[in-house]
Amino acid sequence: METLFQYAYTSCIRPEISLTRVNEIVQVSRRNNRLAGITGILVFDGWRFFQYLEGPEDAVRRLVDKLRLDPRHNNYVELLCSPFAGPRRFHKWSMGYSVSADENLLETFTNLNASELIQNMPDLVANIDFEP
């Protein structure tokens, strides 16, 4: 079993960024993640993001460094940053993506500590329709 690294964060989209840009970001990210061996999910509720990433540590950390500096979002909050033994939780998606109408969903993610987040993530995302 491969040794993996996992990372999760929340952030808010800057008000001046068009929501149509989010779909463009998703398409580019899917291609880049696939090439880097990164899998995970992105949930967007119209103004907040939750993203969970998993993959080789160096690849995930390089991506995280870019995300932290990305001017398209603010209020960046790291929720999880640690190695894990696997298996991958979201192996089917280079980046599963969903827009959620549930205004409380991302608030739920941000109120969990790291171990609760890992334990509850499958239940929290179970009702979200992810694109392959």
Side-chain angles (χ1 to χ4, degrees):
M1 193 171 298
E2 67 182 324
T3 299
L4 298 167
F5 195 79
Q6 58 190 349
Y7 187 86
Y9 72 93
T10 60
S11 69
C12 297
I13 192 167
R14 289 196 180 273
E16 66 271 15
I17 304 299
S18 164
L19 296 181
T20 58
R21 291 276 299 145
V22 175
N23 285 329
E24 294 170 14
I25 292 166
V26 168
Q27 295 308 313
V28 170
S29 297
R30 282 182 170 157
R31 183 187 71 236
N32 291 342
N33 287 0
R34 195 173 304 112
L35 292 171
I38 296 172
T39 56
I41 58 170
L42 176 69
V43 181
F44 182 57
D45 71 3
W47 68 280
R48 290 179 298 195
F49 293 102
F50 166 82
Q51 187 166 22
Y52 171 83
L53 303 164
E54 59 191 11
E57 183 171 359
D58 59 334
V60 173
R61 286 191 183 274
R62 276 194 304 273
L63 177 54
V64 167
D65 289 343
K66 289 180 184 178
L67 292 170
R68 286 183 180 170
L69 298 174
D70 191 326
R72 295 172 290 195
H73 63 109
N74 60 12
N75 297 329
Y76 189 98
V77 177
E78 181 178 288
L79 302 174
L80 174 67
C81 181
S82 67
F84 74 109
R88 290 177 188 250
R89 291 175 177 88
F90 298 99
H91 66 277
K92 293 181 182 179
W93 302 297
S94 57
M95 185 163 62
Y97 172 65
S98 181
V99 175
S100 174
D102 182 348
E103 296 176 5
N104 298 314
L105 180 68
L106 295 184
E107 190 67 29
T108 301
F109 282 113
T110 60
N111 289 328
L112 299 175
N113 66 40
S115 63
E116 291 170 331
L117 180 66
I118 292 301
Q119 183 179 0
N120 292 301
M121 196 179 334
D123 294 333
L124 293 171
V125 300
N127 296 322
I128 296 175
D129 182 25
F130 289 103
E131 297 175 19

